[in-house]
Amino acid sequence: MIFKKMTAAVSALAMSAGILAYFPASSVTAASDYNYAEALQKSMFFYEVQQAGKLPEWNQVPWRADSMVDGDGKETDYVPGGWFDAGDHFKFTLTNAYSASIMAWGYIQYKDAVDKMGLGETYRNNIQWGMDYVMACDKGGGSMVGTIGDFTGGSTDHNIWCSAEVYLRKHHLNGGDWERPYDVIKNASVAALSAACLAEGYIIFKDTQPDKAAEYLKHAKDLFEGADKIRDSEDIGGMSGMYNSSSWLDDCMYAANWLYMATGDKSYLDKIEKDYIPDFPLESQSTTRKYTWGLCWDDTSQAAALLYAMNTGNKEWIEHVSHHLDYWIDGYGGKKVDYTPDSLAWLFNWGSARHATTTAWLAKLASDTLFKDDSSLQTKYNDWAKSQMDYVFGDNGLKMSYVLGMGDNQPSAFHHRTASGIHDDHWN
């Protein structure tokens, strides 16, 4: 059981833009060829690699230093902190909120296992780093800082390859100032995902940091109210071309579930039933609720469905979760995800492992909750989830670990400016 919980906790870590947050390791138990405790530790390390601005004392990455600071060492981003996106230097509230939310979900469900591994403090530190940034981006009424980075004037972020530590000097030489551009947007998806992660923050920290938790909940409620009024995801500002938000309803349903779990206020479930379920996405040319695609920053519908099933015990929605997982495993309704020759569930080319591992998270959690009394489905979903996690750890045709620093065979050319070692190209 402990191994199972460790597997699920690792599966809960999802990173934006397809960058993998799951790490392989050496043998630890007869149940697996991989050490899931070490995998979780390495996942936390990855998020510390992504930290922007002045680094906290608990950051464990020896080759990182403060970034986005001026010549006097002052941090100049309009909202300090947060995580850089993928291998770039942009900061998107959308993906910060999504990542913090999925991470927090893993801790809420498997806190005992994480703490037993000695990683509780590290995990909580990393969650809070993301949550504090998201909260600081809240401008009230659903308005939020959406993007921080050089998204104007030819996108300096994408045109310059250098480490985060020297990036702002390039920006300064390019434009003469030390402050990166930012925008404020009204986007229901951004506000709702932010509300979700902050509601989860309340659940996690209410007993140990009550004042901070109360602040999280206050912002979560206001952000959700704003998102529910906006009901639109077209205002994307600097995210354009990178994170186009296609739907708001899934994120509002997802957030409403978390606010219900944080407060016990049934009005959030009532809103789901009255306002969101009637418009839940459908399969093309069908009256069947959409069970295809996969959990990611732009589609939280299946996560929202699973939470709703957990919160209500509604058999119809439990069956929906099963249909979604079956679609990924052996097919449902004549539809099935493709598989590579060496058994990775392959949704499409962007972030293929990301989709497989986030769905593994849903499958693992469903096997431990919704289907815990159905031994057949529990085994089916649990075993499939493990197979996909182990694939990215090295159980693939190339015997390759798709994670830096882990295993004997791993990628050597990776899209990550700060990790590339390009600290100063002497552009002056």
Side-chain angles (χ1 to χ4, degrees):
M1 180 58 72
I2 289 298
F3 167 75
K4 221 175 130 183
K5 289 185 177 181
M6 288 159 56
T7 307
V10 174
S11 301
L13 297 171
M15 190 58 201
S16 59
I19 294 295
L20 213 55
Y22 313 111
F23 292 73
S26 58
S27 177
V28 68
T29 171
S32 175
D33 291 333
Y34 302 99
N35 184 331
Y36 277 73
E38 184 177 354
L40 185 59
Q41 184 271 325
K42 297 304 181 184
S43 297
M44 292 295 103
F45 186 88
F46 178 86
Y47 283 91
E48 293 175 28
V49 168
Q50 297 303 104
Q51 288 179 339
K54 290 191 173 182
L55 301 180
E57 291 183 0
W58 48 265
N59 182 286
Q60 302 176 72
V61 186
W63 45 268
R64 282 301 319 277
D66 293 346
S67 61
M68 304 304 156
V69 296
D70 62 18
D72 297 323
K74 177 185 176 183
E75 190 169 357
T76 61
D77 273 354
Y78 179 70
V79 179
W83 291 308
F84 291 123
D85 183 73
D88 302 333
H89 299 139
F90 285 111
K91 297 192 300 191
F92 300 113
T93 304
L94 175 73
T95 51
N96 270 258
Y98 169 78
S99 297
S101 175
I102 301 298
M103 292 168 69
W105 191 0
Y107 190 72
I108 289 168
Q109 295 292 157
Y110 298 102
K111 175 184 181 298
D112 291 345
V114 175
D115 290 345
K116 186 171 182 177
M117 286 184 276
L119 293 171
E121 182 178 4
T122 298
Y123 205 129
R124 292 188 297 272
N125 284 341
N126 279 284
I127 292 171
Q128 206 156 48
W129 180 266
M131 290 177 175
D132 286 350
Y133 177 77
V134 169
M135 184 169 65
C137 288
D138 183 11
K139 305 296 288 184
S143 294
M144 302 197 75
V145 174
T147 300
I148 296 179
D150 286 314
F151 52 85
T152 60
S155 184
T156 305
D157 185 282
H158 277 296
N159 293 339
I160 298 174
W161 189 274
C162 67
S163 70
E165 287 79 3
V166 300
Y167 177 85
L168 204 61
R169 283 195 283 141
K170 313 294 187 183
H171 170 89
H172 175 67
L173 289 166
N174 221 19
D177 68 318
W178 290 98
E179 297 181 8
R180 299 198 292 166
Y182 70 92
D183 58 25
V184 176
I185 60 177
K186 281 195 170 185
N187 183 302
S189 288
V190 177
L193 284 172
S194 298
C197 89
L198 295 176
E200 293 168 83
Y202 172 78
I203 294 171
I204 292 171
F205 296 106
K206 62 183 178 180
D207 295 327
T208 57
Q209 299 181 43
D211 291 341
K212 169 73 78 171
E215 192 176 7
Y216 284 158
L217 186 58
K218 179 181 177 181
H219 282 266
K221 289 179 175 180
D222 181 68
L223 283 164
F224 176 76
E225 183 178 347
D228 187 57
K229 288 179 179 178
I230 295 168
R231 297 198 175 196
D232 186 270
S233 58
E234 293 184 3
D235 187 8
I236 59 176
M239 294 189 295
S240 179
M242 291 173 280
Y243 290 99
N244 298 323
S245 182
S246 60
S247 170
W248 61 269
L249 186 140
D250 54 331
D251 300 311
C252 281
M253 181 172 171
Y254 179 74
N257 272 292
W258 280 114
L259 278 159
Y260 166 73
M261 293 165 73
T263 65
D265 184 346
K266 192 176 178 296
S267 67
Y268 291 108
L269 291 184
D270 293 340
K271 178 168 283 293
I272 291 173
E273 294 162 10
K274 177 177 177 290
D275 292 355
Y276 303 151
I277 286 179
D279 292 321
F280 193 87
L282 304 176
E283 290 296 318
S284 179
Q285 298 182 330
S286 172
T287 58
T288 301
R289 292 192 182 109
K290 188 173 179 66
Y291 58 86
T292 54
W293 209 245
L295 171 60
C296 66
W297 57 268
D298 192 36
D299 191 337
T300 58
S301 56
Q302 305 309 325
L306 190 150
L307 283 171
Y308 185 71
M310 290 173 60
N311 285 334
T312 64
N314 185 299
K315 291 184 179 180
E316 181 180 343
W317 284 90
I318 292 174
E319 289 179 357
H320 172 89
V321 172
S322 182
H323 297 163
H324 173 62
L325 297 178
D326 289 345
Y327 155 75
W328 272 83
I329 300 172
D330 49 16
Y332 177 78
K335 300 178 181 180
K336 180 186 175 184
V337 169
D338 289 332
Y339 277 75
T340 65
D342 56 355
S343 301
L344 175 71
W346 191 91
L347 187 64
F348 79 139
N349 58 316
W350 278 102
S352 54
R354 165 190 49 153
H355 281 288
T357 50
T358 53
T359 305
W361 158 242
L362 297 184
K364 180 68 68 172
L365 179 58
S367 75
D368 286 349
T369 55
L370 300 180
F371 306 108
K372 63 181 180 180
D373 297 324
D374 185 327
S375 60
S376 177
L377 289 181
Q378 183 187 47
T379 299
K380 175 182 177 179
Y381 298 148
N382 181 69
D383 289 353
W384 178 83
K386 181 180 179 300
S387 75
Q388 297 303 295
M389 294 303 299
D390 285 354
Y391 181 100
V392 299
F393 293 167
D395 277 359
N396 53 69
L398 297 176
K399 301 302 179 186
M400 177 175 283
S401 160
Y402 290 103
V403 181
L404 294 179
M406 300 298 298
D408 297 327
N409 185 27
Q410 58 188 283
S412 58
F414 44 90
H415 181 86
H416 199 286
R417 287 162 170 78
T418 301
S420 69
I422 308 300
H423 288 284
D424 194 349
D425 61 7
H426 303 290
W427 177 40
N428 55 50

